[in-house]
Amino acid sequence: MPTPQALPAPAASGLPVATVILKPKRARPFFGRHPWVLDAAVARVEGSPADGDVVDLATHDGKFIARGLWNSASRLRVRLYTFAAEVTLDDALWRARLESAVALRRSLGLDARDGAARLVNSEGDDLSGLIVDRYGDYLAVQVTALAMARRLDTLSATLMDLVAPRGILLRGADRGLAKLEGLQLPDRLLCGTAPEGPIFVREHGLTFGVDLTEGQKTGYYLDQRDNRQAAARYARGRRVLDMFCYSGGFAVACAVTGAARSVLAVDGSSRATALAKANAELNGAANVAVETADAFEKLDALRDGGERFGMVILDPPKFARSRATAEDALRAYHRINRVGVDLLDPGGILVTCSCSGSVSRDAFLEMLGGVAQRAGRPLQFLECRGAGPDHPVSASCLEGEYLKCVIARVA
Ligand code: SAH
């Protein structure tokens, strides 16, 4: 696998070096501005683009549709970045897109120096394949497209200029994705200096330590920021179970902001539970107990031991990697939610999440309907939430909508 660093830098002009011709009748999604051209839709390529080069997309009879970046190693052959023939994919365009992304977060009030927010959300910010998270004075970048990897120098220089962080770190892409794109990117420092230890960021008045070099994702689950706050509003006086707690975001919000009676936070990773413990202490939450255990076993053990809670939070990792595994994922969601409901007192609150993009919101809600039926206890949906507004979703690429967070009351 070539490292993107070994590839020549893309031509600065941003002009196409080749034209990708679609098969007949395959152009419709792109007239709808969908940004992903799969290999199966491509009839032929006129020219010989290198991976990451600028190409035009044309109908089978040669009419311009869009302009994007080529990757022969990916099933996602072309990622589209403009549908206007006069727009070139040069540094000025990337800069304008980054400026627009930064301006959105500023307008959302998510630009406090000691705060954290997603600055760039891939297709949601018209920058397919690029994710940038800001944690205080540092940025963590993830690239999921080879074409973005080839442009990392200019992208990080622009980010330095626009946001002036102390350092920008590259976090290696998800291993599965990396394989799909033919990308091999070890973690490294792109600009400035790396933090010496954890970074401390503020979220809705609480403080969380984030490990930028070792943590999951880019170090923290920013997408759940507002959901942690929403859950906390129901926690008052309740005994709370935070299952799959990672660094304790929900647990701490419920204990401190929500004034829960007590919280039991559980995660399978001891690194995660160490972070959760530290974050509970940092926020003076003495009533948070943290335990390292497998969620499936722990849920069964709590139920069999006759334990009851006033609130159960379930925020598991992605159960479905693709549509093919969505059914299996739904069975796993059913299983944990069924036990979650069994653990709740009458009138208890279930906060249940799914970050599997291939499990639709409707399918997730129907699964919960099945749980209510099997448990013989009506479930009332109080809030059906998603990721926060710093995770925008493009109306032309609904694949970007992945997070479900349902708050429900159990009879
Ligand atoms: N709620 C967290 C994010 C949870 S991410 C927050 O707000 O920050 C999902 C978590 O599930 C990860 O921390 C992972 O370590 C944990 N996990 C994955 N499989 C698990 C299992 N079988 N048992 C317990 N925890 C598990």
Side-chain angles (χ1 to χ4, degrees), residues 194-216:
E196 304 236 317
I199 312 278
F200 294 94
V201 296
R202 303 280 291 165
E203 172 182 297
H204 290 305
L206 303 168
T207 305
F208 290 97
V210 178
D211 188 340
L212 273 190
T213 49
E214 298 287 340
Q216 298 180 16

Side-chain angles (χ1 to χ4, degrees), residues 184-269:
Q184 241 180 6
L185 285 182
D187 288 7
R188 69 186 166 99
L189 182 67
L190 293 172
C191 279
T193 55
E196 304 236 317
I199 312 278
F200 294 94
V201 296
R202 303 280 291 165
E203 172 182 297
H204 290 305
L206 303 168
T207 305
F208 290 97
V210 178
D211 188 340
L212 273 190
T213 49
E214 298 287 340
Q216 298 180 16
K217 275 211 171 183
T218 61
Y220 188 65
Y221 289 84
L222 287 169
D223 50 357
Q224 293 279 29
R225 179 198 309 105
D226 296 343
N227 297 333
R228 291 189 272 260
Q229 197 63 12
R233 287 196 281 270
Y234 298 88
R236 181 167 293 276
R238 295 183 193 263
R239 180 182 186 211
V240 177
L241 174 64
D242 178 10
M243 191 52 85
F244 307 96
C245 68
Y246 186 49
S247 55
F250 279 99
V252 173
C254 288
V256 179
T257 315
R261 177 150 57 87
S262 66
V263 182
L264 173 60
V266 179
D267 199 282
S269 142

Side-chain angles (χ1 to χ4, degrees), residues 10 12 17 31 42 81 151 174 179 194-195 202 270 292 350 392:
V17 302
F31 291 132
V42 174
Y81 295 89
R151 288 161 176 80
D174 180 288
K179 216 167 123 201
R202 303 280 291 165
S270 53
T292 309
L350 178 69

Side-chain angles (χ1 to χ4, degrees), residues 340-364:
V341 165
D342 286 349
L343 285 173
L344 281 167
D345 294 323
I349 297 292
L350 178 69
V351 179
T352 181
C353 311
S354 160
C355 57
S356 305
S358 41
V359 169
S360 71
R361 192 166 280 272
D362 282 358
F364 190 66

